Structures are given as structure tokens and as C-alpha cells.
Amino acid sequence: PFRQYSIKQEKTPHCFLKPEELNVMEKASLTGTVAHVRDAFLFCCYTGLRFSDFRRLESKHLVKQKGKLWLNIQTEKTGSLVQIPLYLIFEGKALKILKQYPSMESFTQIGNNAKMNRGLKKLKELLGIRTHITFHVARHTCATLLCHDGVPITTIQKILGHHDLATTQIYSEVM
């Protein structure tokens, strides 16, 4: 009876934080769990990591190349090796966040995705941010801001670990 039935899929727009919203989040004086949630979210905004890959991060993924710190991780979803120049991307903001924690392992030991998204909802309300925020929005934020800062789309593709350039090109149409 369902052979003739087709499911219509609506394309939802990619949400991302604007630089002003990131600035509000960065400057907020927070403590405890809400600060940890904010830091993890911002770290993903500055690296483009998926939540699943963020949770898997260990100190061994931090690699020095020519005296500069890089993040090298094989992504869980696509199996791509992603190499992110932490010292360079977004003026090293991800490194500044990392320095607040004793180790990568202590930083990434946070709740599951659903719990973190509830924490982000509280953070959003606390800071008066209007954009709908989930952990995946951090990834969209990273890609969109890099794209509009003039970073080559192929570089963004490598940072995000996309196999198909068309997947990455979506971000060039957002702003």
C-alpha cells in the first residue's frame, strides 16, 4: 500500500553562530559545568570537530609539527584523517581553551550529546543568544566562518573531513 507514497524532505537551513554571538560566549564569565559546556562547544567551533570525535580526543592526538601544535584525528564517521593547525586556525583560540584544562582527557570527559545539547540550551538562554544551538551548530559555525574569511573551500573540506567537495560547498551559500 505504500509503493506510491513518497516522503517529502524539507531542507532545513544550516544554523551557525555569527561572530558577535561567539564573542558574547567567549567573554561570558562562567564557572562549573556551564563553563565546561561552553568551552567544549567553542573548541568545536574553532576546530570543526563532530561531537563524537571531540569525545574521542586524547593527548596523543596533539602533535607538534615544526614546533607548532596540530590536532590529528581519524574521524569516526568517515574514517578520514583530519589535521587541524590549532596554532593557526581562528588565531589559536582552541589552544587557549585547552590550556585551561589539565589534560585533553579531562577536557573531553563530558556528558553525552543529548546532555550537552540541554546544557547548550541553558547557556543560550543565560547569554541571550537567539540562534538555535546544538553541538552540530559548532561544526557549521566553523565551516561558515572559515569560508567567509576567504579560506579555500578545499582547505575547509580537509578540516571537516568531507570526501565530497559538494558537501563542503553548502557553507559558501549560507551567509
Side-chain angles (χ1 to χ4, degrees):
F2 295 104
R3 279 191 198 138
Q4 301 301 319
Y5 183 79
S6 64
I7 297 172
K8 294 180 184 174
Q9 292 182 334
E10 292 181 28
K11 288 197 173 196
T12 55
H14 289 276
C15 291
F16 63 96
L17 291 184
K18 295 170 192 68
E20 313 83 64
E21 294 170 313
L22 276 176
N23 195 32
V24 166
M25 205 176 271
E26 289 171 350
K27 292 186 188 251
S29 180
L30 304 169
T31 58
T33 304
V34 71
H36 197 159
V37 169
R38 184 258 327 257
D39 292 346
F41 178 78
L42 286 175
F43 185 84
C44 290
C45 284
Y46 302 139
T47 59
L49 289 176
R50 290 180 185 90
F51 181 77
S52 58
D53 293 324
F54 172 78
R55 289 275 300 166
R56 293 177 41 248
L57 285 177
E58 297 176 7
S59 297
K60 70 180 181 182
H61 294 118
L62 293 172
V63 178
K64 273 197 175 181
Q65 295 178 10
K66 296 183 182 177
K68 306 287 185 177
L69 207 54
W70 289 65
L71 185 65
N72 293 353
I73 185 169
Q74 192 108 20
T75 62
E76 188 173 54
K77 183 177 178 182
T78 63
S80 301
L81 176 62
V82 173
Q83 297 177 307
I84 303 166
L86 293 178
Y87 70 96
L88 181 62
I89 192 169
F90 292 103
E91 301 165 356
K93 290 181 178 181
L95 278 177
K96 292 174 188 166
I97 292 170
L98 270 180
K99 288 180 182 176
Q100 298 174 36
Y101 293 85
S103 68
M104 179 65 86
E105 289 78 7
S106 66
F107 179 42
T108 60
Q109 294 310 304
I110 53 178
N112 63 30
N113 197 18
K115 182 179 177 183
M116 294 305 296
N117 285 336
R118 285 191 297 274
L120 286 172
K121 185 176 179 182
K122 289 178 188 175
L123 180 64
K124 167 192 150 139
E125 291 167 0
L126 181 69
L127 300 178
I129 294 173
R130 291 187 161 177
T131 302
H132 175 70
I133 302 175
T134 64
F135 236 89
H136 202 68
V137 169
R139 189 167 163 82
H140 293 298
T141 298
C142 177
T144 303
L145 294 179
L146 287 174
C147 186
H148 290 282
D149 279 346
V151 175
I153 197 78
T154 52
T155 301
I156 299 169
Q157 175 188 13
K158 288 176 184 171
I159 289 170
L160 296 178
H162 289 158
H163 290 296
D164 186 7
L165 185 60
T167 305
T168 311
Q169 287 174 326
I170 293 166
Y171 299 105
S172 65
E173 303 166 2
V174 174
M175 283 177 96

